[in-house]
Every structure is written in C-alpha cells, then in structure tokens.
Amino acid sequence: MSDALTLPAPATRPAMRRGMARFLKGAAGVLFLLAAWQLSVPLVGMSSYFYPAPTDVVAAFADLIRKGILPVYFVDSMLRYSTGLATGALLGVAVGVLVGLNRTASLALSPLFKFLFAIVEVAWIPIFVIWFGYGVKTIVLALVYVVFFPVLYNTLLGVRTAPQILVNALRSLGANRLQVLRYAILPAALPGIITGLRVGAGFAFRGLVFAEMVAAKSGIGYLIFEGAQSQQTARTIVGMIVLGLTWLAIDLFYLRPFERATIQRWGLTVDAEQRR
C-alpha cells in the first residue's frame, strides 16, 4: 500500500518524460552554444571589451554577487516591474469593463485609446522625467502606461464581443446587470483579458529595461547601460542573461499557470499538446 502511494500516477509519467526530454534538449543546446562561444574567442582575437568569453561573464557574475550589486539591482527591478504590471493591469481591466458596457463611451473613446496605444512608452519617458524627475516614480508610471493600454484594449474588445444570446438568455431569466456581467460578459471577455495581460507583461518587461537605463541608478537595465558606459562588457552580458532567465521564469511560473487555471481549465482554449 505504501509503495502505491509513493509511486507517481501512471497518467503523469508520459508528461514527466516529455518534460524531461524537453529540458535535456534545451540544456544540450545551451551547452553547445557556450562551447562554440568559448572556442570562438581565440579565433576572433578581440579584446574582452569587444568580445568577452563565457569565462569573463562568469567572473563578472561572481564579482557582482560577491559585492552584493546584482541581488540589490534584481530586487529593485522586480519591485518596479511587479508594481507597474499590477497597477496597469487592474486599471486596464476596470476601465475596459466600464467603457465596454457603455456603447456610447466605447465609440467615443476607442479612437483615443488606439491613438495612445500606438505611442510607445519610450516616447513618454523623457516627458515623465521632466514632470516627475529621475527615479522610481517615473519608471513605475512608464510601466503602468505600457501595461494599461494593451489590457484595456483587449478587455474592451472582449466585453464588446460577448455573445448577445447569452446576455439575452440571462435577462429573460430575471438576471440583473451585475449577474449578467458576472455570468456572461466577464467569462466571454476572459480570453481577451488574458491576452492583454500577456502582451502587457511582455511590454512592461521591455519597458523596464529602457526606463532603468534613462531614469534609474539601480536595476538590471541600469546594470546593462552602466556596464557598456564603463567598458565592462561582461557585466552588460550578465544583465542580458539575467533578463532572459527572469522572463523565462515569469512565463513558466506566472503566465502559463495562470492560463491553465483559467481559460484552459474552462475549455476556452487548449494547449498544443492536448490536441495530440
């Protein structure tokens, strides 16, 4: 009985094997890239400023950890990112639902929303610096801006395209406006909201790097910029690697589980593996 309790369920074993196979293939690709990079250094014959070796990057990483710079910069970046993402997403969903429920407001404001959505945060950051100065306020505001509009636009689209037959059916059964919103409109708009959150999360991550280059004295974006300015290219590459690994972690532990717990669980969409 105890052996049966400790063994994984048979249905999970194929998924575990597929996951392990994907991990091994990805690890093999990374190792091959690192080996090719290291072997190419003497062939290129450039200084470490122009073409640092993987060993130089590892040394820079160890130095940044030993001095406590990288942990502090990483925490600063993640606090700014999470604050901007959460605030922008909440505002985008709230405004999108409110405007989407009012046809007149939707028609009147949609052109303005599309216009502002087309203006990337890069264009706003110099203005924010003039208004609010350098620092956290400018960075977070830029992230809120870049998250707000994709979430708003997709939420608005989802609310406006909710099946009218479901709305009419609930109204015929005596549902009030709040019940129609809860049981018909929001579930129908959820795929659009999730799409907006994914787009906003990606935009915010890119915006974070540029905002920290311009308006911060800490953070991973500042580390990349400062490393290039001080001719410490290995530090710049460390920052780039940290950014890539952080985004993979956000996608793996936040975005994908969120999709599985909502729209995939409710059958609104399926993973590619489930079609096999």
Side-chain angles (χ1 to χ4, degrees):
M1 177 66 71
S2 60
D3 292 340
L5 292 175
T6 56
L7 290 174
T12 64
R13 292 177 181 174
M16 292 174 60
R17 286 196 292 267
R18 288 195 299 269
M20 181 59 67
R22 287 196 299 268
F23 173 78
L24 292 176
K25 290 178 181 178
V30 172
L31 291 175
F32 175 80
L33 176 62
L34 290 176
W37 180 8
Q38 184 67 48
L39 292 173
S40 69
V41 171
L43 298 177
V44 173
M46 292 183 176
S47 67
S48 60
Y49 166 64
F50 289 99
Y51 195 71
T55 51
D56 297 325
V57 176
V58 172
F61 175 81
D63 183 61
L64 289 169
I65 293 292
R66 180 177 57 83
K67 293 179 178 178
I69 296 175
L70 186 58
V72 172
Y73 281 12
F74 180 78
V75 171
D76 287 347
S77 291
M78 290 301 99
L79 286 175
R80 296 162 184 163
Y81 176 76
S82 58
T83 302
L85 177 61
T87 305
L90 289 174
L91 290 174
V93 172
V95 176
V97 171
L98 291 175
V99 174
L101 292 176
N102 189 310
R103 181 173 178 81
T104 302
S106 178
L107 293 174
L109 295 176
S110 288
L112 176 62
F113 292 153
K114 293 178 181 178
F115 172 79
L116 293 174
F117 182 39
I119 303 176
V120 296
E121 81 286 350
V122 173
W124 281 103
I125 289 177
I127 302 297
F128 292 158
V129 169
I130 294 173
W131 289 347
F132 305 106
Y134 296 95
V136 176
K137 185 182 296 185
T138 292
I139 297 171
V140 172
L141 185 59
L143 298 185
V144 170
Y145 177 89
V146 78
V147 173
F148 174 78
F149 285 101
V151 175
L152 165 70
Y153 183 76
N154 284 277
T155 301
L156 180 62
L157 183 63
V159 171
R160 295 303 304 166
T161 57
Q164 189 62 35
I165 188 173
L166 297 179
V167 175
N168 294 338
L170 285 173
R171 287 175 177 171
S172 67
L173 294 173
N176 55 35
R177 292 175 62 90
L178 184 60
Q179 290 172 326
V180 170
L181 175 66
R182 178 180 178 183
Y183 294 111
I185 296 177
L186 287 182
L190 187 59
I193 294 174
I194 301 300
T195 299
L197 290 174
R198 286 193 66 96
V199 174
F203 283 2
F205 201 72
R206 294 174 178 85
L208 173 70
V209 178
F210 183 81
E212 287 183 338
M213 287 181 178
V214 175
K217 292 298 181 181
S218 66
I220 303 301
Y222 175 75
L223 175 66
I224 293 173
F225 179 75
E226 189 270 339
Q229 290 291 101
S230 60
Q231 299 187 358
Q232 300 181 79
T233 311
R235 283 194 173 192
T236 297
I237 296 177
V238 169
M240 294 166 62
I241 293 173
V242 170
L243 282 177
L245 293 176
T246 301
W247 176 252
L248 289 177
I250 291 172
D251 184 67
L252 180 63
F253 298 110
Y254 164 64
L255 296 176
R256 292 185 184 180
F258 188 54
E259 284 186 344
R260 286 194 294 267
T262 53
I263 57 178
Q264 286 186 15
R265 180 182 178 184
W266 298 334
L268 298 175
T269 186
V270 295
D271 199 343
E273 293 184 355
Q274 298 176 357
R275 300 192 185 100
R276 297 176 181 177

